[in-house]
Amino acid sequence: MKLSASDCPFCAGDGGQVVARDARCRVVLTDEPFLGFCRVIWNEHVAEFTDLAPADRQHCMAVVAAVEMALRTLLTPDKMNLACLGNLTPHLHWHVIPRFADDSHFPLSVWGDRQRPGAARPLPSHFVESLTAFLAERWPAPPL
Amino acid sequence: MKLSASDCPFCAGDGGQVVARDARCRVVLTDEPFLGFCRVIWNEHVAEFTDLAPADRQHCMAVVAAVEMALRTLLTPDKMNLACLGNLTPHLHWHVIPRFADDSHFPLSVWGDRQRPGAARPLPSHFVESLTAFLAERWPAPPL
């Protein structure tokens, strides 16, 4: 995939509602139709996880883990799903997706076939504020 | 998902052809219909990435990165896909999947709808031996 930075939606914009960021990456709450679906988007336009230096990979995954912990704490999902795909948008990003046994696609991946209409489950009140506060408190130290 | 260790396929067996292992995890070449599709399977029966201690998470991802680098080097895919889902088998494992623009599902995920029959592309000769040797040479030091 030869998407240049100038054509890249994750270079052109934040890619969602930013709930945390540092000099290397940001965490966004997406508008995907799955409750609490977040992404960790690396700021630099690189395609692959292993295009990052080891210290940056470590920081990236510490952020992914912090987001997973935040979503587990705030939403108590039945399972968490993590994925770094980027076939359509080859700018490094991690999907961090809370899954529920009654969601529209469970137990398939969110990229599989719909299994049912999916339970209507609202976000808890003050979810964005709680997520922001959780990540501010648990944000991993950046690599030296 | 309340799959106990006694019902778990990744507790009952290796889950594929083992090409590397240490006390914490193993790397297997799967028989999935995607060229070079590997998995990193954590040995202990835990469900979520964040069920691991931080040092174990770091080791797990260093192994995932080593496998990604091995597959990029040996197969030169158009994109790499990484995913930790476990909705059906909630025993921590990472899918490490080389993707090709002419594979059966590209640019969708391998869990999406088939796009085409998919190009027939054989594994390079001595692939298993090369993968084993690459991982033996680049295996990350386990956490202290």
Side-chain angles (χ1 to χ4, degrees):
Chain A
M1 299 294 287
K2 301 295 181 288
L3 187 72
S4 69
S6 59
D7 299 323
C8 172
F10 292 158
C11 290
D14 285 333
Q17 180 174 7
V18 176
V19 292
R21 68 159 83 237
D22 67 11
R24 289 178 175 76
C25 63
R26 60 209 187 248
V27 180
V28 302
L29 179 62
T30 76
D31 56 4
E32 300 284 350
F34 293 91
L35 194 79
F37 188 138
C38 288
R39 288 194 181 102
V40 176
I41 303 173
W42 199 252
N43 290 339
E44 189 189 355
H45 185 82
V46 298
E48 303 288 2
F49 183 55
T50 50
D51 289 339
L52 297 184
D56 283 337
R57 291 204 291 265
Q58 193 175 324
H59 182 62
C60 184
M61 293 314 297
V63 171
V64 168
V67 175
E68 176 173 295
M69 279 306 305
L71 295 171
R72 291 179 72 179
T73 302
L74 297 174
L75 299 177
T76 59
D78 295 304
K79 187 73 189 68
M80 287 299 304
N81 287 179
L82 304 174
C84 179
L85 308 177
N87 303 327
L88 286 164
T89 305
H91 175 135
L92 183 64
H93 60 280
W94 282 88
H95 307 283
V96 185
I97 315 167
R99 300 300 307 277
F100 298 88
D102 58 4
D103 76 32
S104 57
H105 287 61
F106 201 88
L108 300 190
S109 86
V110 300
W111 303 281
D113 290 327
R114 177 182 290 269
Q115 302 297 296
R116 63 190 71 80
R121 180 182 279 107
L123 283 171
S125 36
H126 308 297
F127 173 73
V128 171
E129 293 83 350
S130 300
L131 179 57
T132 301
F134 189 106
L135 291 173
E137 190 173 332
R138 315 285 190 97
W139 196 256
L144 298 176
Chain B
M1 297 295 289
K2 299 297 182 284
L3 187 73
S4 69
S6 60
D7 300 322
C8 173
F10 292 157
C11 290
D14 285 333
Q17 180 174 5
V18 176
V19 292
R21 69 160 82 238
D22 67 12
R24 290 177 174 77
C25 64
R26 60 207 188 252
V27 180
V28 302
L29 179 62
T30 75
D31 57 3
E32 300 285 349
F34 293 91
L35 193 80
F37 188 139
C38 289
R39 287 193 182 100
V40 176
I41 303 173
W42 199 252
N43 290 340
E44 188 189 356
H45 186 83
V46 298
E48 302 289 3
F49 183 56
T50 50
D51 289 339
L52 297 184
D56 282 337
R57 291 204 292 265
Q58 193 174 324
H59 182 61
C60 185
M61 294 314 296
V63 172
V64 168
V67 176
E68 176 173 295
M69 278 306 304
L71 295 171
R72 289 180 72 180
T73 302
L74 298 174
L75 300 177
T76 58
D78 294 304
K79 188 71 190 69
M80 288 298 305
N81 287 178
L82 304 174
C84 178
L85 307 177
N87 302 327
L88 287 163
T89 305
H91 174 134
L92 184 64
H93 59 281
W94 282 87
H95 306 285
V96 185
I97 315 168
R99 300 299 307 278
F100 298 88
D102 58 3
D103 77 31
S104 57
H105 287 60
F106 201 88
L108 299 190
S109 88
V110 301
W111 304 281
D113 290 328
R114 178 182 290 266
Q115 302 298 297
R116 65 190 70 82
R121 180 182 278 107
L123 282 172
S125 37
H126 310 296
F127 174 74
V128 172
E129 294 83 349
S130 300
L131 179 58
T132 302
F134 189 106
L135 291 174
E137 190 173 330
R138 315 283 189 97
W139 195 257
L144 298 177

